[in-house]
PDB file of all heavy atoms in Angstrom:
ATOM      1  N   GLN A   1     -55.754  16.965 -26.254  1.00 98.00           N
ATOM      2  CA  GLN A   1     -55.583  18.338 -25.848  1.00 98.00           C
ATOM      3  C   GLN A   1     -56.625  19.101 -26.587  1.00 98.00           C
ATOM      4  O   GLN A   1     -56.723  19.004 -27.816  1.00 98.00           O
ATOM      5  CB  GLN A   1     -54.178  18.857 -26.213  1.00 98.00           C
ATOM      6  CG  GLN A   1     -53.057  18.238 -25.403  1.00 98.00           C
ATOM      7  CD  GLN A   1     -53.168  18.492 -23.893  1.00 98.00           C
ATOM      8  OE1 GLN A   1     -53.609  19.524 -23.441  1.00 98.00           O
ATOM      9  NE2 GLN A   1     -52.792  17.470 -23.150  1.00 98.00           N
ATOM     10  N   VAL A   2     -57.425  19.807 -25.857  1.00 98.00           N
ATOM     11  CA  VAL A   2     -58.653  20.466 -26.446  1.00 98.00           C
ATOM     12  C   VAL A   2     -58.400  21.998 -26.476  1.00 98.00           C
ATOM     13  O   VAL A   2     -57.957  22.621 -25.479  1.00 98.00           O
ATOM     14  CB  VAL A   2     -59.858  20.134 -25.606  1.00 98.00           C
ATOM     15  CG1 VAL A   2     -61.137  20.813 -26.174  1.00 98.00           C
ATOM     16  CG2 VAL A   2     -60.109  18.634 -25.543  1.00 98.00           C
ATOM     17  N   PHE A   3     -58.755  22.520 -27.612  1.00 97.00           N
ATOM     18  CA  PHE A   3     -58.641  24.022 -27.784  1.00 97.00           C
ATOM     19  C   PHE A   3     -59.952  24.538 -28.289  1.00 97.00           C
ATOM     20  O   PHE A   3     -60.571  23.956 -29.199  1.00 97.00           O
ATOM     21  CB  PHE A   3     -57.594  24.366 -28.780  1.00 97.00           C
ATOM     22  CG  PHE A   3     -56.130  23.992 -28.379  1.00 97.00           C
ATOM     23  CD1 PHE A   3     -55.683  22.699 -28.531  1.00 97.00           C
ATOM     24  CD2 PHE A   3     -55.351  24.900 -27.803  1.00 97.00           C
ATOM     25  CE1 PHE A   3     -54.469  22.319 -28.130  1.00 97.00           C
ATOM     26  CE2 PHE A   3     -54.086  24.535 -27.391  1.00 97.00           C
ATOM     27  CZ  PHE A   3     -53.623  23.242 -27.592  1.00 97.00           C
ATOM     28  N   PHE A   4     -60.391  25.688 -27.683  1.00 96.00           N
ATOM     29  CA  PHE A   4     -61.504  26.469 -28.210  1.00 96.00           C
ATOM     30  C   PHE A   4     -60.934  27.670 -28.855  1.00 96.00           C
ATOM     31  O   PHE A   4     -60.346  28.512 -28.086  1.00 96.00           O
ATOM     32  CB  PHE A   4     -62.502  26.851 -27.094  1.00 96.00           C
ATOM     33  CG  PHE A   4     -63.407  25.745 -26.641  1.00 96.00           C
ATOM     34  CD1 PHE A   4     -63.276  24.426 -27.044  1.00 96.00           C
ATOM     35  CD2 PHE A   4     -64.478  26.054 -25.789  1.00 96.00           C
ATOM     36  CE1 PHE A   4     -64.120  23.443 -26.615  1.00 96.00           C
ATOM     37  CE2 PHE A   4     -65.329  25.056 -25.405  1.00 96.00           C
ATOM     38  CZ  PHE A   4     -65.165  23.755 -25.750  1.00 96.00           C
ATOM     39  N   ASN A   5     -60.978  27.754 -30.210  1.00 94.00           N
ATOM     40  CA  ASN A   5     -60.236  28.787 -30.945  1.00 94.00           C
ATOM     41  C   ASN A   5     -58.765  28.602 -30.497  1.00 94.00           C
ATOM     42  O   ASN A   5     -58.256  27.511 -30.490  1.00 94.00           O
ATOM     43  CB  ASN A   5     -60.780  30.196 -30.708  1.00 94.00           C
ATOM     44  CG  ASN A   5     -62.089  30.346 -31.377  1.00 94.00           C
ATOM     45  OD1 ASN A   5     -62.491  29.630 -32.347  1.00 94.00           O
ATOM     46  ND2 ASN A   5     -62.933  31.278 -30.911  1.00 94.00           N
ATOM     47  N   GLU A   6     -58.112  29.681 -30.041  1.00 91.00           N
ATOM     48  CA  GLU A   6     -56.711  29.539 -29.615  1.00 91.00           C
ATOM     49  C   GLU A   6     -56.571  29.261 -28.108  1.00 91.00           C
ATOM     50  O   GLU A   6     -55.438  29.229 -27.641  1.00 91.00           O
ATOM     51  CB  GLU A   6     -55.836  30.731 -30.096  1.00 91.00           C
ATOM     52  CG  GLU A   6     -56.199  32.023 -29.445  1.00 91.00           C
ATOM     53  CD  GLU A   6     -57.356  32.748 -30.106  1.00 91.00           C
ATOM     54  OE1 GLU A   6     -57.865  32.275 -31.139  1.00 91.00           O
ATOM     55  OE2 GLU A   6     -57.844  33.786 -29.525  1.00 91.00           O
ATOM     56  N   ASN A   7     -57.657  29.166 -27.402  1.00 94.00           N
ATOM     57  CA  ASN A   7     -57.631  28.917 -25.979  1.00 94.00           C
ATOM     58  C   ASN A   7     -57.514  27.462 -25.629  1.00 94.00           C
ATOM     59  O   ASN A   7     -58.354  26.637 -26.024  1.00 94.00           O
ATOM     60  CB  ASN A   7     -58.866  29.525 -25.292  1.00 94.00           C
ATOM     61  CG  ASN A   7     -58.969  30.973 -25.595  1.00 94.00           C
ATOM     62  OD1 ASN A   7     -58.033  31.728 -25.455  1.00 94.00           O
ATOM     63  ND2 ASN A   7     -60.226  31.405 -25.945  1.00 94.00           N
ATOM     64  N   HIS A   8     -56.409  27.135 -24.855  1.00 97.00           N
ATOM     65  CA  HIS A   8     -56.188  25.746 -24.471  1.00 97.00           C
ATOM     66  C   HIS A   8     -57.048  25.375 -23.231  1.00 97.00           C
ATOM     67  O   HIS A   8     -56.939  26.026 -22.188  1.00 97.00           O
ATOM     68  CB  HIS A   8     -54.719  25.590 -24.135  1.00 97.00           C
ATOM     69  CG  HIS A   8     -54.328  24.250 -23.707  1.00 97.00           C
ATOM     70  ND1 HIS A   8     -53.608  23.961 -22.577  1.00 97.00           N
ATOM     71  CD2 HIS A   8     -54.571  23.025 -24.277  1.00 97.00           C
ATOM     72  CE1 HIS A   8     -53.376  22.680 -22.501  1.00 97.00           C
ATOM     73  NE2 HIS A   8     -53.936  22.084 -23.500  1.00 97.00           N
ATOM     74  N   LEU A   9     -57.922  24.412 -23.416  1.00 98.00           N
ATOM     75  CA  LEU A   9     -58.746  23.950 -22.240  1.00 98.00           C
ATOM     76  C   LEU A   9     -58.055  22.891 -21.456  1.00 98.00           C
ATOM     77  O   LEU A   9     -58.258  22.804 -20.311  1.00 98.00           O
ATOM     78  CB  LEU A   9     -60.091  23.435 -22.770  1.00 98.00           C
ATOM     79  CG  LEU A   9     -61.230  24.413 -22.772  1.00 98.00           C
ATOM     80  CD1 LEU A   9     -61.010  25.531 -23.675  1.00 98.00           C
ATOM     81  CD2 LEU A   9     -62.538  23.723 -23.089  1.00 98.00           C
ATOM     82  N   GLY A  10     -57.209  22.067 -22.166  1.00 98.00           N
ATOM     83  CA  GLY A  10     -56.492  20.999 -21.472  1.00 98.00           C
ATOM     84  C   GLY A  10     -56.854  19.667 -22.022  1.00 98.00           C
ATOM     85  O   GLY A  10     -57.392  19.550 -23.118  1.00 98.00           O
ATOM     86  N   GLY A  11     -56.615  18.660 -21.178  1.00 98.00           N
ATOM     87  CA  GLY A  11     -56.932  17.273 -21.573  1.00 98.00           C
ATOM     88  C   GLY A  11     -58.341  16.849 -21.109  1.00 98.00           C
ATOM     89  O   GLY A  11     -59.138  17.701 -20.705  1.00 98.00           O
ATOM     90  N   ASN A  12     -58.595  15.559 -21.251  1.00 98.00           N
ATOM     91  CA  ASN A  12     -59.937  15.072 -20.866  1.00 98.00           C
ATOM     92  C   ASN A  12     -60.316  15.404 -19.443  1.00 98.00           C
ATOM     93  O   ASN A  12     -61.398  15.832 -19.137  1.00 98.00           O
ATOM     94  CB  ASN A  12     -60.034  13.585 -21.131  1.00 98.00           C
ATOM     95  CG  ASN A  12     -61.415  13.030 -20.765  1.00 98.00           C
ATOM     96  OD1 ASN A  12     -62.441  13.538 -21.237  1.00 98.00           O
ATOM     97  ND2 ASN A  12     -61.456  12.018 -19.961  1.00 98.00           N
ATOM     98  N   ASP A  13     -59.365  15.176 -18.539  1.00 98.00           N
ATOM     99  CA  ASP A  13     -59.642  15.453 -17.085  1.00 98.00           C
ATOM    100  C   ASP A  13     -60.045  16.918 -16.896  1.00 98.00           C
ATOM    101  O   ASP A  13     -60.966  17.214 -16.165  1.00 98.00           O
ATOM    102  CB  ASP A  13     -58.438  15.128 -16.181  1.00 98.00           C
ATOM    103  CG  ASP A  13     -58.180  13.648 -16.147  1.00 98.00           C
ATOM    104  OD1 ASP A  13     -59.035  12.857 -16.521  1.00 98.00           O
ATOM    105  OD2 ASP A  13     -57.067  13.236 -15.622  1.00 98.00           O
ATOM    106  N   ASP A  14     -59.328  17.800 -17.552  1.00 98.00           N
ATOM    107  CA  ASP A  14     -59.590  19.272 -17.431  1.00 98.00           C
ATOM    108  C   ASP A  14     -61.001  19.546 -17.990  1.00 98.00           C
ATOM    109  O   ASP A  14     -61.751  20.292 -17.335  1.00 98.00           O
ATOM    110  CB  ASP A  14     -58.545  20.047 -18.190  1.00 98.00           C
ATOM    111  CG  ASP A  14     -57.115  19.792 -17.771  1.00 98.00           C
ATOM    112  OD1 ASP A  14     -56.868  19.874 -16.528  1.00 98.00           O
ATOM    113  OD2 ASP A  14     -56.277  19.429 -18.571  1.00 98.00           O
ATOM    114  N   VAL A  15     -61.316  18.995 -19.101  1.00 98.00           N
ATOM    115  CA  VAL A  15     -62.603  19.287 -19.748  1.00 98.00           C
ATOM    116  C   VAL A  15     -63.706  18.689 -18.943  1.00 98.00           C
ATOM    117  O   VAL A  15     -64.741  19.379 -18.682  1.00 98.00           O
ATOM    118  CB  VAL A  15     -62.613  18.682 -21.223  1.00 98.00           C
ATOM    119  CG1 VAL A  15     -64.009  18.821 -21.823  1.00 98.00           C
ATOM    120  CG2 VAL A  15     -61.599  19.434 -22.040  1.00 98.00           C
ATOM    121  N   GLN A  16     -63.565  17.500 -18.416  1.00 98.00           N
ATOM    122  CA  GLN A  16     -64.571  16.870 -17.565  1.00 98.00           C
ATOM    123  C   GLN A  16     -64.775  17.664 -16.271  1.00 98.00           C
ATOM    124  O   GLN A  16     -65.869  17.834 -15.763  1.00 98.00           O
ATOM    125  CB  GLN A  16     -64.211  15.417 -17.197  1.00 98.00           C
ATOM    126  CG  GLN A  16     -64.074  14.531 -18.460  1.00 98.00           C
ATOM    127  CD  GLN A  16     -65.355  14.239 -19.155  1.00 98.00           C
ATOM    128  OE1 GLN A  16     -66.490  14.469 -18.666  1.00 98.00           O
ATOM    129  NE2 GLN A  16     -65.275  13.762 -20.436  1.00 98.00           N
ATOM    130  N   GLN A  17     -63.629  18.195 -15.740  1.00 98.00           N
ATOM    131  CA  GLN A  17     -63.764  19.033 -14.508  1.00 98.00           C
ATOM    132  C   GLN A  17     -64.452  20.313 -14.757  1.00 98.00           C
ATOM    133  O   GLN A  17     -65.262  20.735 -13.933  1.00 98.00           O
ATOM    134  CB  GLN A  17     -62.312  19.345 -14.000  1.00 98.00           C
ATOM    135  CG  GLN A  17     -62.291  19.919 -12.614  1.00 98.00           C
ATOM    136  CD  GLN A  17     -62.946  19.115 -11.532  1.00 98.00           C
ATOM    137  OE1 GLN A  17     -62.557  17.935 -11.343  1.00 98.00           O
ATOM    138  NE2 GLN A  17     -63.890  19.626 -10.832  1.00 98.00           N
ATOM    139  N   LEU A  18     -64.246  20.897 -15.926  1.00 98.00           N
ATOM    140  CA  LEU A  18     -64.944  22.113 -16.302  1.00 98.00           C
ATOM    141  C   LEU A  18     -66.456  21.889 -16.348  1.00 98.00           C
ATOM    142  O   LEU A  18     -67.274  22.660 -15.946  1.00 98.00           O
ATOM    143  CB  LEU A  18     -64.469  22.660 -17.630  1.00 98.00           C
ATOM    144  CG  LEU A  18     -63.141  23.409 -17.668  1.00 98.00           C
ATOM    145  CD1 LEU A  18     -62.669  23.643 -19.113  1.00 98.00           C
ATOM    146  CD2 LEU A  18     -63.239  24.763 -16.922  1.00 98.00           C
ATOM    147  N   GLN A  19     -66.777  20.691 -16.930  1.00 98.00           N
ATOM    148  CA  GLN A  19     -68.200  20.274 -17.009  1.00 98.00           C
ATOM    149  C   GLN A  19     -68.799  20.104 -15.605  1.00 98.00           C
ATOM    150  O   GLN A  19     -69.840  20.608 -15.308  1.00 98.00           O
ATOM    151  CB  GLN A  19     -68.281  18.936 -17.788  1.00 98.00           C
ATOM    152  CG  GLN A  19     -69.645  18.307 -17.869  1.00 98.00           C
ATOM    153  CD  GLN A  19     -70.666  19.083 -18.752  1.00 98.00           C
ATOM    154  OE1 GLN A  19     -70.277  20.052 -19.415  1.00 98.00           O
ATOM    155  NE2 GLN A  19     -71.901  18.671 -18.715  1.00 98.00           N
ATOM    156  N   THR A  20     -68.065  19.409 -14.717  1.00 98.00           N
ATOM    157  CA  THR A  20     -68.454  19.144 -13.353  1.00 98.00           C
ATOM    158  C   THR A  20     -68.679  20.476 -12.621  1.00 98.00           C
ATOM    159  O   THR A  20     -69.640  20.617 -11.853  1.00 98.00           O
ATOM    160  CB  THR A  20     -67.430  18.293 -12.625  1.00 98.00           C
ATOM    161  OG1 THR A  20     -67.240  17.075 -13.353  1.00 98.00           O
ATOM    162  CG2 THR A  20     -67.862  17.968 -11.187  1.00 98.00           C
ATOM    163  N   ASP A  21     -67.779  21.392 -12.849  1.00 98.00           N
ATOM    164  CA  ASP A  21     -67.837  22.689 -12.153  1.00 98.00           C
ATOM    165  C   ASP A  21     -68.879  23.674 -12.791  1.00 98.00           C
ATOM    166  O   ASP A  21     -69.070  24.766 -12.318  1.00 98.00           O
ATOM    167  CB  ASP A  21     -66.477  23.404 -12.204  1.00 98.00           C
ATOM    168  CG  ASP A  21     -65.411  22.667 -11.406  1.00 98.00           C
ATOM    169  OD1 ASP A  21     -65.788  21.774 -10.613  1.00 98.00           O
ATOM    170  OD2 ASP A  21     -64.234  22.977 -11.537  1.00 98.00           O
ATOM    171  N   GLY A  22     -69.483  23.204 -13.904  1.00 97.00           N
ATOM    172  CA  GLY A  22     -70.487  24.083 -14.569  1.00 97.00           C
ATOM    173  C   GLY A  22     -69.918  25.238 -15.362  1.00 97.00           C
ATOM    174  O   GLY A  22     -70.583  26.166 -15.695  1.00 97.00           O
ATOM    175  N   LYS A  23     -68.616  25.107 -15.658  1.00 98.00           N
ATOM    176  CA  LYS A  23     -67.916  26.213 -16.332  1.00 98.00           C
ATOM    177  C   LYS A  23     -67.750  25.973 -17.873  1.00 98.00           C
ATOM    178  O   LYS A  23     -67.399  26.818 -18.590  1.00 98.00           O
ATOM    179  CB  LYS A  23     -66.559  26.446 -15.746  1.00 98.00           C
ATOM    180  CG  LYS A  23     -66.569  26.938 -14.310  1.00 98.00           C
ATOM    181  CD  LYS A  23     -65.205  27.133 -13.733  1.00 98.00           C
ATOM    182  CE  LYS A  23     -65.283  27.626 -12.312  1.00 98.00           C
ATOM    183  NZ  LYS A  23     -64.081  27.404 -11.560  1.00 98.00           N
ATOM    184  N   LEU A  24     -68.000  24.726 -18.276  1.00 98.00           N
ATOM    185  CA  LEU A  24     -67.823  24.405 -19.691  1.00 98.00           C
ATOM    186  C   LEU A  24     -68.855  25.047 -20.551  1.00 98.00           C
ATOM    187  O   LEU A  24     -68.533  25.541 -21.650  1.00 98.00           O
ATOM    188  CB  LEU A  24     -67.813  22.868 -19.911  1.00 98.00           C
ATOM    189  CG  LEU A  24     -67.377  22.401 -21.261  1.00 98.00           C
ATOM    190  CD1 LEU A  24     -66.007  22.880 -21.625  1.00 98.00           C
ATOM    191  CD2 LEU A  24     -67.437  20.881 -21.358  1.00 98.00           C
ATOM    192  N   ALA A  25     -70.103  25.084 -20.124  1.00 97.00           N
ATOM    193  CA  ALA A  25     -71.229  25.658 -20.930  1.00 97.00           C
ATOM    194  C   ALA A  25     -70.915  27.073 -21.369  1.00 97.00           C
ATOM    195  O   ALA A  25     -71.131  27.459 -22.499  1.00 97.00           O
ATOM    196  CB  ALA A  25     -72.523  25.584 -20.171  1.00 97.00           C
ATOM    197  N   GLU A  26     -70.344  27.868 -20.487  1.00 97.00           N
ATOM    198  CA  GLU A  26     -70.006  29.232 -20.758  1.00 97.00           C
ATOM    199  C   GLU A  26     -68.921  29.310 -21.859  1.00 97.00           C
ATOM    200  O   GLU A  26     -68.987  30.109 -22.792  1.00 97.00           O
ATOM    201  CB  GLU A  26     -69.429  29.851 -19.452  1.00 97.00           C
ATOM    202  CG  GLU A  26     -69.106  31.287 -19.499  1.00 97.00           C
ATOM    203  CD  GLU A  26     -68.515  31.780 -18.167  1.00 97.00           C
ATOM    204  OE1 GLU A  26     -69.022  31.331 -17.102  1.00 97.00           O
ATOM    205  OE2 GLU A  26     -67.549  32.520 -18.210  1.00 97.00           O
ATOM    206  N   LYS A  27     -67.898  28.435 -21.758  1.00 97.00           N
ATOM    207  CA  LYS A  27     -66.868  28.369 -22.777  1.00 97.00           C
ATOM    208  C   LYS A  27     -67.436  27.908 -24.127  1.00 97.00           C
ATOM    209  O   LYS A  27     -67.014  28.403 -25.197  1.00 97.00           O
ATOM    210  CB  LYS A  27     -65.710  27.499 -22.297  1.00 97.00           C
ATOM    211  CG  LYS A  27     -64.979  28.058 -21.121  1.00 97.00           C
ATOM    212  CD  LYS A  27     -63.846  27.156 -20.685  1.00 97.00           C
ATOM    213  CE  LYS A  27     -63.129  27.726 -19.454  1.00 97.00           C
ATOM    214  NZ  LYS A  27     -62.506  28.971 -19.668  1.00 97.00           N
ATOM    215  N   VAL A  28     -68.357  26.978 -24.028  1.00 97.00           N
ATOM    216  CA  VAL A  28     -69.010  26.478 -25.271  1.00 97.00           C
ATOM    217  C   VAL A  28     -69.746  27.591 -25.915  1.00 97.00           C
ATOM    218  O   VAL A  28     -69.645  27.755 -27.168  1.00 97.00           O
ATOM    219  CB  VAL A  28     -69.969  25.338 -24.927  1.00 97.00           C
ATOM    220  CG1 VAL A  28     -70.944  25.009 -26.087  1.00 97.00           C
ATOM    221  CG2 VAL A  28     -69.188  24.068 -24.554  1.00 97.00           C
ATOM    222  N   GLU A  29     -70.502  28.398 -25.165  1.00 96.00           N
ATOM    223  CA  GLU A  29     -71.218  29.532 -25.760  1.00 96.00           C
ATOM    224  C   GLU A  29     -70.272  30.481 -26.431  1.00 96.00           C
ATOM    225  O   GLU A  29     -70.539  30.993 -27.506  1.00 96.00           O
ATOM    226  CB  GLU A  29     -72.038  30.233 -24.677  1.00 96.00           C
ATOM    227  CG  GLU A  29     -73.368  29.631 -24.417  1.00 96.00           C
ATOM    228  CD  GLU A  29     -74.178  29.318 -25.640  1.00 96.00           C
ATOM    229  OE1 GLU A  29     -74.470  30.243 -26.421  1.00 96.00           O
ATOM    230  OE2 GLU A  29     -74.499  28.144 -25.863  1.00 96.00           O
ATOM    231  N   MET A  30     -69.133  30.714 -25.741  1.00 95.00           N
ATOM    232  CA  MET A  30     -68.089  31.642 -26.269  1.00 95.00           C
ATOM    233  C   MET A  30     -67.642  31.132 -27.617  1.00 95.00           C
ATOM    234  O   MET A  30     -67.567  31.890 -28.545  1.00 95.00           O
ATOM    235  CB  MET A  30     -67.024  31.825 -25.260  1.00 95.00           C
ATOM    236  CG  MET A  30     -66.026  32.861 -25.647  1.00 95.00           C
ATOM    237  SD  MET A  30     -64.425  32.628 -24.826  1.00 95.00           S
ATOM    238  CE  MET A  30     -63.773  31.226 -25.726  1.00 95.00           C
ATOM    239  N   VAL A  31     -67.285  29.828 -27.675  1.00 96.00           N
ATOM    240  CA  VAL A  31     -66.674  29.335 -28.955  1.00 96.00           C
ATOM    241  C   VAL A  31     -67.715  29.236 -30.046  1.00 96.00           C
ATOM    242  O   VAL A  31     -67.424  29.426 -31.207  1.00 96.00           O
ATOM    243  CB  VAL A  31     -65.930  27.969 -28.745  1.00 96.00           C
ATOM    244  CG1 VAL A  31     -66.959  26.837 -28.721  1.00 96.00           C
ATOM    245  CG2 VAL A  31     -64.949  27.760 -29.882  1.00 96.00           C
ATOM    246  N   LYS A  32     -68.991  29.080 -29.661  1.00 96.00           N
ATOM    247  CA  LYS A  32     -70.056  29.070 -30.656  1.00 96.00           C
ATOM    248  C   LYS A  32     -70.257  30.429 -31.314  1.00 96.00           C
ATOM    249  O   LYS A  32     -70.626  30.561 -32.459  1.00 96.00           O
ATOM    250  CB  LYS A  32     -71.373  28.579 -30.064  1.00 96.00           C
ATOM    251  CG  LYS A  32     -71.442  27.073 -29.907  1.00 96.00           C
ATOM    252  CD  LYS A  32     -72.822  26.675 -29.394  1.00 96.00           C
ATOM    253  CE  LYS A  32     -72.930  25.159 -29.347  1.00 96.00           C
ATOM    254  NZ  LYS A  32     -74.203  24.752 -28.718  1.00 96.00           N
ATOM    255  N   ASN A  33     -70.053  31.494 -30.489  1.00 95.00           N
ATOM    256  CA  ASN A  33     -70.327  32.808 -30.929  1.00 95.00           C
ATOM    257  C   ASN A  33     -69.149  33.707 -31.276  1.00 95.00           C
ATOM    258  O   ASN A  33     -69.270  34.816 -31.666  1.00 95.00           O
ATOM    259  CB  ASN A  33     -71.124  33.580 -29.818  1.00 95.00           C
ATOM    260  CG  ASN A  33     -72.432  32.840 -29.564  1.00 95.00           C
ATOM    261  OD1 ASN A  33     -73.184  32.477 -30.487  1.00 95.00           O
ATOM    262  ND2 ASN A  33     -72.728  32.559 -28.307  1.00 95.00           N
ATOM    263  N   THR A  34     -67.955  33.151 -31.128  1.00 92.00           N
ATOM    264  CA  THR A  34     -66.708  33.911 -31.430  1.00 92.00           C
ATOM    265  C   THR A  34     -65.919  33.236 -32.529  1.00 92.00           C
ATOM    266  O   THR A  34     -65.332  32.217 -32.394  1.00 92.00           O
ATOM    267  CB  THR A  34     -65.818  33.948 -30.150  1.00 92.00           C
ATOM    268  OG1 THR A  34     -66.612  34.322 -29.031  1.00 92.00           O
ATOM    269  CG2 THR A  34     -64.695  34.940 -30.365  1.00 92.00           C
ATOM    270  N   PRO A  35     -65.894  33.926 -33.719  1.00 89.00           N
ATOM    271  CA  PRO A  35     -65.095  33.376 -34.803  1.00 89.00           C
ATOM    272  C   PRO A  35     -63.627  33.336 -34.405  1.00 89.00           C
ATOM    273  O   PRO A  35     -63.184  34.243 -33.660  1.00 89.00           O
ATOM    274  CB  PRO A  35     -65.356  34.336 -35.957  1.00 89.00           C
ATOM    275  CG  PRO A  35     -66.344  35.304 -35.495  1.00 89.00           C
ATOM    276  CD  PRO A  35     -66.572  35.173 -34.024  1.00 89.00           C
ATOM    277  N   VAL A  36     -62.903  32.420 -34.917  1.00 78.00           N
ATOM    278  CA  VAL A  36     -61.503  32.321 -34.622  1.00 78.00           C
ATOM    279  C   VAL A  36     -60.751  33.513 -35.289  1.00 78.00           C
ATOM    280  O   VAL A  36     -61.087  33.955 -36.396  1.00 78.00           O
ATOM    281  CB  VAL A  36     -60.875  30.964 -35.019  1.00 78.00           C
ATOM    282  CG1 VAL A  36     -60.816  30.861 -36.549  1.00 78.00           C
ATOM    283  CG2 VAL A  36     -59.487  30.752 -34.425  1.00 78.00           C
ATOM    284  N   THR A  37     -59.758  34.047 -34.629  1.00 72.00           N
ATOM    285  CA  THR A  37     -58.899  35.061 -35.238  1.00 72.00           C
ATOM    286  C   THR A  37     -57.549  34.480 -35.406  1.00 72.00           C
ATOM    287  O   THR A  37     -57.105  33.742 -34.512  1.00 72.00           O
ATOM    288  CB  THR A  37     -58.802  36.318 -34.312  1.00 72.00           C
ATOM    289  OG1 THR A  37     -58.305  35.859 -33.028  1.00 72.00           O
ATOM    290  CG2 THR A  37     -60.191  36.979 -34.113  1.00 72.00           C
ATOM    291  N   MET A  38     -56.905  34.801 -36.433  1.00 60.00           N
ATOM    292  CA  MET A  38     -55.549  34.282 -36.713  1.00 60.00           C
ATOM    293  C   MET A  38     -54.503  35.187 -36.133  1.00 60.00           C
ATOM    294  O   MET A  38     -53.368  35.210 -36.556  1.00 60.00           O
ATOM    295  CB  MET A  38     -55.369  33.980 -38.155  1.00 60.00           C
ATOM    296  CG  MET A  38     -56.306  32.903 -38.739  1.00 60.00           C
ATOM    297  SD  MET A  38     -56.521  31.490 -37.665  1.00 60.00           S
ATOM    298  CE  MET A  38     -54.992  30.677 -37.889  1.00 60.00           C
ATOM    299  N   MET A  39     -54.855  35.954 -35.123  1.00 51.00           N
ATOM    300  CA  MET A  39     -53.826  36.878 -34.521  1.00 51.00           C
ATOM    301  C   MET A  39     -52.827  36.089 -33.789  1.00 51.00           C
ATOM    302  O   MET A  39     -51.641  36.491 -33.733  1.00 51.00           O
ATOM    303  CB  MET A  39     -54.596  37.743 -33.461  1.00 51.00           C
ATOM    304  CG  MET A  39     -55.651  38.644 -34.085  1.00 51.00           C
ATOM    305  SD  MET A  39     -54.977  39.979 -35.054  1.00 51.00           S
ATOM    306  CE  MET A  39     -54.200  40.994 -33.791  1.00 51.00           C
ATOM    307  N   GLN A  40     -53.205  34.965 -33.230  1.00 45.00           N
ATOM    308  CA  GLN A  40     -52.276  34.162 -32.428  1.00 45.00           C
ATOM    309  C   GLN A  40     -51.327  33.431 -33.315  1.00 45.00           C
ATOM    310  O   GLN A  40     -51.742  32.586 -34.152  1.00 45.00           O
ATOM    311  CB  GLN A  40     -53.114  33.151 -31.591  1.00 45.00           C
ATOM    312  CG  GLN A  40     -52.326  32.475 -30.540  1.00 45.00           C
ATOM    313  CD  GLN A  40     -52.645  33.017 -29.168  1.00 45.00           C
ATOM    314  OE1 GLN A  40     -53.327  34.054 -29.064  1.00 45.00           O
ATOM    315  NE2 GLN A  40     -52.160  32.409 -28.160  1.00 45.00           N
TER     316      GLN A  40
END
């Protein structure tokens, strides 16, 4: 189960699908540039 900060991306199939759809890079940029907040 993969999380970027407090956002749940899902399991391997979900992550691979995001990669296939070209949506993972955007999420990667977000997690690289957004410090985690402990609000959650």
Side-chain angles (χ1 to χ4, degrees):
Q1 291 301 323
V2 179
F3 296 83
F4 280 11
N5 291 337
E6 65 278 353
N7 301 315
H8 180 229
L9 264 63
N12 181 53
D13 290 347
D14 302 307
V15 173
Q16 299 293 342
Q17 190 60 54
L18 284 168
Q19 175 71 6
T20 303
D21 295 345
K23 294 178 180 161
L24 189 57
E26 184 184 319
K27 292 181 183 297
V28 165
E29 277 311 301
M30 189 201 73
V31 79
K32 280 184 177 177
N33 299 313
T34 311
V36 70
T37 56
M38 296 317 288
M39 298 289 289
Q40 193 102 353

